[in-house]
Amino acid sequence: MIRALWTLARPKGMVLIAFLPMIGFGFAYWDHGCRIPGFGALAPLGLLATVWAVPHMGTMWLNAALDRDEGQVLFGKSVPVPPGVEKYAYLTLAFSLVAAFVTDVGLGLCVLGCAMLSVLYSHPRTAWKGHAILGPLANAIGYGVLSPLGGFLLSDLPPTPRGAATLALSVTYIVAAYLAAQAFQEDEDRARGYRTLVALRGARFTLDVTRAFLALSVILTLVLAAIGWYPRLVLLAAPAFLAAERYLARWRDVPGGGDGSWAAGFFVRMMIAGLVCIVAVSADYGWSQLRGEPAGGVATASGRPATPACGG
């Protein structure tokens, strides 16, 4: 049973999900030009990873209980669902809620929101997963807004307009990723009676919508870098984003959406583009701090906080 539960938790995807609140925490420090803290002061990052990784396990278990884990699976393999998996799911959600509220009220509220969305998404009576609008909405709010916002709130730094723009950007990425993850499941969703976008309109249309959200994400990212809200080194990610878009263009011509390997290939390309952005921002941030100059968001060409909480 333990091996099955671990497989159903989708550990590869868990790493990506645990990274989302850490991005919010790191963005807050960068936005206000704070000094990079020592390793001892980075303990909240470990807490953030745990608080998000554990309920992600519960979310995946509830999802498996609804789908019975039949058919192709992204970031893992199909295994029989152990009896009573829902019980373990709710225990993990409860554990994360207690840990989050003990740590910080804002963090707790974000985890509570994610937990509620997990239940609405996969509970048989609501089953938002099988809805063309509610499914993407749950992921956009849970992963695109509440996850990075939880990390930001834990930093205890004030919000900025650039932070709001970055949250909006996060939503577009998450929706594109979510739609890509379901594009190869056209036949399965129809067999389950779901009314997802791919079940209603087919894989080709779903991938067209995915491309639209990806294009919006890329345009926003590069425009914010061009006007100086982000370091202009981020513009170096343009070829990687273009490679991801060209990959989607090839994928949409595959009959029926192909198989899970197409979705995995898209995620790899998006992760490469994201890593280029993170490395560019980190290099700019670290180099300025090493030279004792204003760094991060207080040193960008524009979009600087009106009253930075720390930094130059």
Side-chain angles (χ1 to χ4, degrees), residues 52-84:
W52 251 261
V54 172
H56 176 70
M57 295 169 61
T59 298
M60 292 296 98
W61 292 339
L62 288 176
N63 187 44
L66 180 67
D67 289 347
R68 306 317 300 172
D69 203 43
E70 299 169 341
Q72 297 184 68
V73 176
L74 186 63
F75 295 130
K77 61 182 180 180
S78 180
V79 296
V81 179

Side-chain angles (χ1 to χ4, degrees), residues 37-127:
F39 286 107
L42 290 177
L45 294 183
L47 173 66
L48 280 172
T50 302
V51 166
W52 251 261
V54 172
H56 176 70
M57 295 169 61
T59 298
M60 292 296 98
W61 292 339
L62 288 176
N63 187 44
L66 180 67
D67 289 347
R68 306 317 300 172
D69 203 43
E70 299 169 341
Q72 297 184 68
V73 176
L74 186 63
F75 295 130
K77 61 182 180 180
S78 180
V79 296
V81 179
V85 68
E86 297 94 335
K87 175 180 65 178
Y88 300 108
Y90 289 120
L91 284 174
T92 60
L93 294 178
F95 169 82
S96 290
L97 279 171
V98 172
F101 273 108
V102 167
T103 303
D104 179 81
V105 173
L107 179 66
L109 290 173
C110 288
V111 174
L112 175 60
C114 288
M116 293 172 62
L117 289 168
S118 294
V119 175
L120 290 169
Y121 188 75
S122 296
H123 194 281
R125 292 187 178 181
T126 50

